[in-house]
């Protein structure tokens, strides 16, 4: 009887330690997604810092095409709102999808504005436009890299929550698949 209880205790201890280890691993992976989002957010903020001077530099020369600037400003505001929602829950698939949609709207608006700039050689040489474009492009490169880091972290996390026997813990501890950027 004592040998049976001892074996049952050992099996129970192994299960508890496995659950603790699997839980800690998933939390660490979720924290990696949060750290990757911080890099995305940093690049996004850098891009936003360059956007305001760019729009100001284009305000007067593109008065006839002011709707393009307004569209870009509105898309930027939507991206900011989506990023603010994403900040506390960077793993959320819903928030990631909303940010990605807002980001694609901003990219479309920005391509329209930059197409208008390309048409006017004098406007291209304007110091405010040159500086704003440089910041936008540099931040865009950083943002693409940060998004890839985020997606890689999300892929690893999703693989971990789908693996057996770890998936037995997913529902119990409310782990859910991560979104993609």
């Amino acid at each position: 009887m004592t040998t049976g209880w001892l074996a049952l205790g050992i099996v129970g201890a192994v299960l508890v330690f496995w659950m603790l280890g699997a839980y800690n691993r998933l939390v660490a992976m979720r924290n990696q997604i949060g750290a990757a989002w911080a890099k995305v957010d940093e690049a996004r903020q850098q891009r936003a810092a360059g956007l305001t001077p760019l729009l100001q530099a284009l305000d007067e020369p593109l008065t006839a095409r002011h709707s393009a600037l307004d569209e870009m400003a509105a898309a930027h505001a939507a991206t900011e709102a989506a990023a603010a929602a994403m900040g506390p829950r960077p793993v959320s698939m819903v928030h990631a999808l909303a940010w990605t949609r807002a980001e694609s709207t901003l990219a479309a608006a920005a391509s329209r504005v930059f197409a208008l700039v390309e048409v006017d050689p004098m406007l291209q040489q304007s110091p405010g436009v040159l500086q704003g474009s440089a910041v936008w492009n540099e931040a865009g490169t950083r943002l693409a890299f940060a998004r890839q880091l985020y997606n890689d972290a999300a892929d690893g996390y999703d693989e971990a929550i789908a693996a057996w026997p770890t998936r037995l813990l997913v529902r119990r501890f409310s782990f859910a698949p991560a979104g993609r950027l």
Side-chain angles (χ1 to χ4, degrees):
M1 192 70 141
T2 59
T3 307
W5 285 108
L6 181 63
L8 187 60
I10 290 172
V11 168
V14 166
L15 283 175
V16 166
F17 286 121
W18 169 80
M19 284 177 57
L20 184 63
Y23 176 83
N24 286 341
R25 178 175 174 243
L26 291 176
V27 168
M29 293 178 94
R30 195 167 53 190
N31 290 341
Q32 286 177 343
I33 294 172
W37 170 254
K39 291 180 187 292
V40 170
D41 199 40
E42 181 182 313
R44 184 194 58 75
Q45 289 174 1
Q46 178 190 3
R47 183 185 65 190
L51 183 62
T52 303
L54 177 65
L55 291 176
Q56 288 173 350
L58 293 172
D59 192 35
E60 186 179 321
L62 293 179
T63 53
R65 302 291 185 137
H66 212 275
S67 64
L69 298 177
D70 291 341
E71 183 181 321
M72 188 170 179
H76 171 67
T79 302
E80 292 289 313
M86 180 98 171
R89 299 252 327 155
V91 179
S92 171
M93 192 176 293
V94 172
H95 294 310
L97 182 60
W99 185 81
T100 303
R101 284 184 180 153
E103 196 58 27
S104 67
T105 303
L106 178 60
S111 68
R112 182 174 173 210
V113 168
F114 285 118
L116 292 171
V117 169
E118 285 181 25
V119 172
D120 187 351
M122 295 297 287
L123 191 54
Q124 290 177 11
Q125 300 305 316
S126 168
V129 173
L130 282 172
Q131 181 183 7
S133 297
V135 170
W136 179 271
N137 291 332
E138 180 185 334
T141 302
R142 289 186 62 215
L143 188 59
F145 179 71
R147 287 175 77 165
Q148 184 61 47
L149 286 176
Y150 178 93
N151 289 336
D152 289 346
D155 286 341
Y157 172 78
D158 284 351
E159 288 173 12
I161 66 171
W164 196 91
T166 307
R167 67 178 157 200
L168 298 173
L169 302 176
V170 169
R171 196 173 328 164
R172 180 170 191 83
F173 294 108
S174 301
F175 292 106
R180 298 296 184 281
L181 303 179

